[in-house]
Amino acid sequence: MLNKILNFLSEDIAIDLGTANTEVYVRGRGIVIQEPSVVAINQKTGQILAVGIEAKKMVGRTPSHIVAIRPLKSGVISDFETTEQMLKYFIEKARKRKFVGPRVIVGIPWGVTEVEKKAVLDASKSAGAREVFLIEEPMAAAIGARLPVQEPVGNFIVDIGGGTAEVAVISLGGVVLGKSLRIAGDKLNEDIIRYIQDEYNLLIGERMAETVKIAIGSAYPLKEKKEFPVRGRNLVTGLPEEIIVSDEEIRKAIEKSVRQIVNEIKATLDETPPELVADIMVNGIYLSGGGALLKGLDILIQKETKIPTKVVDDPMTAVVRGAGIVLENLDELEEVLVETKELKPPK
């Protein structure tokens, strides 16, 4: 009885704790926060100066004793204390009623270890959560895309975030086959930085690389050629310089990483049971996550696999929307939650 009262009073929260961005869904209110997973810290005092959007503005622009860090690497916690503080900030910001700790569902990458799961559980509880449930990101993305995950039908989802690209075949409320590749949005940014440095002797920052990727990055030749100005520091003269790069050059820069994602999709299809492959050939491959917005990626995957490929509606928020749907229907969808040694889904 007490538990029912607490559940009624609490503002339950779903969180997509991503390498690049964190998104928060509150039951009954929808998505209330979409901010970068960045924390700015004063190293002299250990004080946290900013979180999210304000912290990202500081990246590469702070004195040496102030560092803007991303406490998650490849979707898993690499800095526990900073992640805890970041979660606390987002949970507090999302809530209106503060007197009862919320139940929280957190999206985690496919295939993480028990230790990594426990780190998410502990950080969430330390940040003020009353109960914590975990959901694998490909499952959450499939639910967010409104795929029939509980039916005996093959659903193929590719979730490309900042740190990982996850490929999963889902049927009857579970992941039949899953693969996680630590090549995603951040790796594409690194590829662009390296290419510009090698070809032009120009050193650019991560933010500049991401801007270029969003503006003219593509996985397949575009109908119209595009160019974009890139600013950085010339490594020979040490002076600021601006160059113009084309979409063809950026495609060449990220080609190897994109090819690895496509190969992982093909390898997963190769291992999928034939009955589920038959379903996928009809239903198609679905792309979610920020990486799904790379121009022409759906065309390339469709060309390589001969299977219809679609980008889900609003791919950036698919995981948090899916986790939010589970939050709103916890009793009906409890089977999709992750069971760990520490945690059992609600009965």
Side-chain angles (χ1 to χ4, degrees):
M1 183 67 182
L2 176 62
N3 213 30
K4 283 186 178 176
I5 294 168
L6 289 173
N7 291 346
F8 176 75
L9 292 173
S10 74
E11 281 186 299
D12 294 342
I13 292 172
I15 301 173
D16 175 12
L17 191 61
T19 308
N21 296 291
T22 294
E23 290 155 345
V24 180
Y25 176 106
V26 177
R27 190 178 65 180
R29 284 167 51 206
I31 299 169
V32 296
I33 292 173
Q34 284 180 271
E35 294 197 30
S37 303
V38 182
V39 181
I41 299 174
N42 184 329
Q43 287 191 312
K44 287 181 180 175
T45 62
Q47 181 191 358
I48 288 179
L49 302 176
V51 178
I53 293 168
E54 291 306 311
K56 187 165 185 182
K57 288 177 186 173
M58 298 181 184
V59 173
R61 294 178 170 148
T62 60
S64 58
H65 66 282
I66 295 174
V67 290
I69 65 168
R70 288 163 64 173
L72 290 105
K73 296 263 191 304
S74 302
V76 296
I77 294 171
S78 61
D79 184 328
F80 183 85
E81 287 179 10
T82 309
T83 302
E84 184 188 315
Q85 292 298 320
M86 184 175 78
L87 270 172
K88 199 173 217 168
Y89 169 83
F90 287 133
I91 289 172
E92 286 298 312
K93 188 175 179 181
R95 292 168 68 202
K96 285 183 177 174
R97 300 197 299 269
K98 313 278 184 178
F99 46 87
V100 178
R103 291 188 298 176
V104 175
I105 293 180
V106 185
I108 56 169
W110 160 258
V112 297
T113 65
E114 288 295 327
V115 172
E116 288 164 340
K117 288 175 190 172
K118 189 173 186 308
V120 176
L121 287 170
D122 291 347
S124 303
K125 283 178 181 171
S126 299
R130 180 166 52 88
E131 278 186 276
V132 186
F133 308 111
L134 305 180
I135 185 168
E136 283 155 343
E137 285 163 3
M139 177 64 80
I143 294 169
R146 300 286 181 175
L147 299 184
V149 297
Q150 290 182 295
E151 293 176 19
V153 176
N155 300 283
F156 198 106
I157 188 94
V158 183
D159 184 49
I160 308 169
T164 57
E166 294 166 75
V167 184
V169 178
I170 295 168
S171 179
L172 278 172
V175 176
V176 177
L177 192 65
K179 291 179 182 288
S180 184
L181 191 64
R182 299 203 169 187
I183 292 173
D186 289 350
K187 180 65 169 67
L188 301 186
N189 294 345
E190 289 168 22
D191 292 341
I192 292 167
I193 290 169
R194 192 176 298 114
Y195 179 86
I196 300 290
Q197 188 171 323
D198 291 347
E199 294 294 316
Y200 294 98
N201 279 324
L202 193 71
L203 184 65
I204 65 169
E206 195 180 315
R207 286 182 67 179
M208 186 78 243
E210 188 170 14
T211 303
V212 173
K213 178 183 72 179
I214 292 167
I216 62 169
S218 63
Y220 197 78
L222 304 172
K223 288 178 183 174
E224 291 179 23
K225 298 217 175 282
K226 292 188 175 185
E227 293 184 332
F228 196 81
V230 177
R231 291 179 291 278
R233 175 163 54 84
N234 188 298
L235 290 166
V236 178
T237 65
L239 298 173
E241 188 181 327
E242 179 177 291
I243 59 164
I244 304 294
V245 295
S246 67
D247 63 283
E248 191 178 342
E249 288 180 283
I250 300 305
R251 197 159 51 252
K252 184 181 170 186
I254 64 175
E255 184 179 24
K256 188 178 175 184
S257 294
V258 170
R259 173 57 50 193
Q260 285 179 275
I261 294 170
V262 173
N263 287 345
E264 198 75 2
I265 292 167
K266 288 164 83 173
T268 305
L269 283 167
D270 187 46
E271 293 173 35
T272 302
E275 290 295 334
L276 295 180
V277 169
D279 295 336
I280 293 161
M281 287 174 72
V282 175
N283 300 333
I285 293 170
Y286 288 82
L287 307 182
S288 68
L293 295 170
L294 182 69
K295 298 173 192 70
L297 182 61
D298 53 339
I299 299 169
L300 179 66
I301 293 169
Q302 183 163 321
K303 186 170 175 282
E304 291 280 336
T305 62
K306 310 289 190 290
I307 293 174
T309 303
K310 306 157 199 159
V311 178
V312 306
D313 292 337
D314 195 5
M316 289 276 287
T317 63
V319 170
V320 78
R321 279 187 286 119
I325 290 168
V326 176
L327 191 69
E328 304 276 3
N329 305 277
L330 211 48
D331 293 335
E332 295 87 18
L333 291 169
E334 62 179 82
E335 64 182 13
V336 305
L337 296 171
V338 174
E339 192 169 324
T340 72
K341 289 173 185 172
E342 299 279 316
L343 173 83
K344 292 189 175 172
K347 293 293 177 194

